[in-house]
Amino acid sequence: MTKKPSGQRPKMPPRRVVRLVWRTHRALYRVTRGRLGLWRPRPGRWGAMRLTTVGRRSGIERSVILGYFEDGPRLVTLAMNGWGEGDPAWWLNLRANPEAVVELAGNRGAVLAHTAEGDERARLWAVPAAGRDSSMGGRGRS
């Protein structure tokens, strides 16, 4: 992987391509009834999990498939809106109600989310930068 000069964002595909990939991934998950579409992280690679939150305004359950990595027993994801502007809805939902359900390849369980701050945030941000898949890098919150 070639390093970019400091402050320069990596080249990303057009937003419509990102959205098409998201829709295709969700459809694969739905069509296979969850048999495909989720995977555990491996060394140097992120995993895919399904996060279900409660809508902060609607009160309706909302699910999204996210990339993540493990920090010991904890699951870490970056609150990115597909590299676009604004906060993702699932992040705003978690801020309003941190209780959620996570589905991993082979597991499902309740989680309590929190925002990484200070030294913890710096340590977790260093993980994607230190060799994790570059698609987990970029802007966002962990």
Side-chain angles (χ1 to χ4, degrees), residues 2-107:
T2 306
K3 290 194 176 201
K4 299 283 182 182
S6 180
Q8 186 178 359
R9 291 174 56 169
K11 184 173 170 86
M12 295 295 161
R15 184 78 173 158
R16 68 181 181 277
V17 172
V18 172
R19 294 179 69 86
L20 175 64
V21 170
W22 288 344
R23 283 192 298 271
T24 304
H25 191 173
R26 286 191 308 261
L28 175 69
Y29 178 84
R30 229 179 358 260
V31 166
T32 64
R33 296 184 182 152
R35 289 188 305 273
L36 298 176
L38 303 180
W39 58 89
R40 302 291 291 206
R42 294 181 310 228
R45 296 283 302 171
W46 50 277
M49 68 176 173
R50 185 169 189 244
L51 174 73
T52 302
T53 62
V54 174
R56 65 193 177 287
R57 292 186 297 223
S58 68
I60 298 171
E61 285 190 349
R62 307 287 184 179
S63 295
V64 63
I65 297 175
L66 300 170
Y68 77 101
F69 62 91
E70 295 175 340
D71 180 46
R74 299 181 315 157
L75 308 174
V76 180
T77 191
L78 306 178
M80 302 182 335
N81 195 2
W83 299 278
E85 295 301 318
D87 293 327
W90 63 266
W91 169 249
L92 298 173
N93 292 342
L94 281 177
R95 288 178 55 194
N97 178 9
E99 296 175 3
V101 174
V102 169
E103 193 173 335
L104 306 173
N107 293 8

